[in-house]
Amino acid sequence: MLLGPPGAGKGTQADKLAATLGIPKIATGDVLRAALRDGTPRGREAKAFMERGDLVPDSVIFGILRDVMSSPVAAKGAILDGAVRTVPQAKELGIMLAELGRGVDNVLLFDIPDDKLTQRLSGRTVCEKCQTPHKGLEPGSKCEKCGGPLMRRKDDAPEAIRNRLKVYRAQTEPVIDWYEERDFKVEKVDADGPVDEVTRRAVKALKQ
Ligand code: AP5
């Protein structure tokens, strides 16, 4: 499970770790954006919350987690990117996994100063098709992974970034304590540095 503030590089590192470990990445943000793009009821429910930088209601996330955890895609395990952002979500995921005879093996917390986050998010573009995040490329450029068009996320506007950081402190940071109080070792990974170096740190933290 990957935790960390918006822009810490969870999505970037989830892709790298998924390739290294040979298991899929499951990012609730990506699932929600795909639902929004396809105009599904789940996407319509999530839209306003996401654009403001608020969390979507726990009930929506429970539905997504239930779908993914019971799907063959996650049969060998998965990298959960941003999938748990409130204590009720952490509890519910624990119950779902226990019912399936599984559990959370590792919790990695990507750590980086706030000023770097804002800098990263305001310069980010993402692929409309495969959702890969990019830096240093303008909207309208082509995705380096799949050739799809790059766009700016609405929640990367300055006001939404400020709100996302506030929401992270208030609602997601307590999840770290929740896991630690239950004897999960939350491994802190210094997320400030070149992408490959951060991947090396994350893999080292997993081995510990
Ligand atoms: P989500 O898409 O998960 O957004 P987030 O958590 O705010 O995280 P980000 O995707 O913004 O950042 P990241 O840490 O993945 O960084 P990235 O790798 O892109 O969720 C969006 C919304 O969906 C939420 O706000 C909420 O509304 C809703 N949602 C999702 N899950 C939910 C849940 N469980 N409960 C309730 N609501 C939920 O990197 C950022 C930029 O930095 C990129 O440009 C990248 O290229 C660059 N970068 C990455 N690493 C480095 C590096 N080492 N050095 C320099 N640049 C780097």
Side-chain angles (χ1 to χ4, degrees):
M1 173 174 309
L2 310 188
L3 297 176
K10 301 181 297 297
T12 303
Q13 294 302 329
D15 283 333
K16 297 263 179 190
L17 292 173
T20 305
L21 302 176
I23 52 174
K25 147 186 161 178
I26 292 168
T28 37
D30 290 353
V31 173
L32 287 165
R33 273 185 294 279
L36 212 145
R37 188 194 53 213
D38 298 343
T40 67
R42 189 178 271 166
R44 285 198 296 274
E45 190 176 349
K47 187 174 190 288
F49 294 99
M50 292 179 77
E51 288 180 354
R52 284 196 302 268
D54 283 332
L55 296 183
V56 305
D58 284 341
S59 55
V60 176
I61 301 300
F62 293 166
I64 295 175
L65 290 177
R66 208 166 295 122
D67 289 353
V68 227
M69 287 307 146
S70 56
S71 121
V73 172
K76 288 190 188 157
I79 313 267
L80 297 181
D81 164 12
V84 168
R85 297 183 198 221
T86 65
V87 169
Q89 290 177 17
K91 287 183 185 162
E92 186 66 19
L93 177 70
I95 295 168
M96 277 179 213
L97 289 175
E99 282 169 1
L100 295 166
R102 306 169 76 178
V104 173
D105 299 314
N106 298 88
V107 184
L108 298 186
L109 170 64
F110 289 90
D111 188 39
I112 186 164
D114 279 6
D115 57 333
K116 293 263 169 80
L117 299 175
T118 312
Q119 208 181 319
R120 281 187 185 182
L121 291 175
S122 39
R124 168 171 67 181
T125 44
V126 293
C127 175
E128 226 176 304
K129 224 161 119 194
C130 74
Q131 313 226 24
T132 300
H134 291 73
K135 60 182 164 127
L137 290 178
E138 289 303 309
S141 317
K142 278 199 165 70
C143 171
E144 288 170 341
K145 194 169 162 191
C146 77
L150 299 187
M151 50 164 269
R152 282 227 195 278
R153 280 172 41 174
K154 283 204 174 143
D155 62 350
D156 281 345
E159 196 173 323
I161 295 178
R162 277 193 294 277
N163 189 39
R164 284 158 71 198
L165 287 173
K166 213 169 77 191
V167 166
Y168 175 76
R169 305 279 174 241
Q171 298 187 59
T172 307
E173 278 189 346
V175 172
I176 301 165
D177 297 337
W178 189 86
Y179 276 114
E180 283 182 331
E181 283 158 13
R182 275 150 195 83
D183 289 337
F184 283 94
K185 177 116 180 61
V186 177
E187 291 286 351
K188 221 181 212 189
V189 177
D190 178 2
D192 189 6
V195 171
D196 289 341
E197 177 55 34
V198 178
T199 309
R200 269 191 289 278
R201 292 173 194 156
V203 171
K204 192 171 162 209
L206 284 178
K207 284 182 181 153
Q208 282 167 358

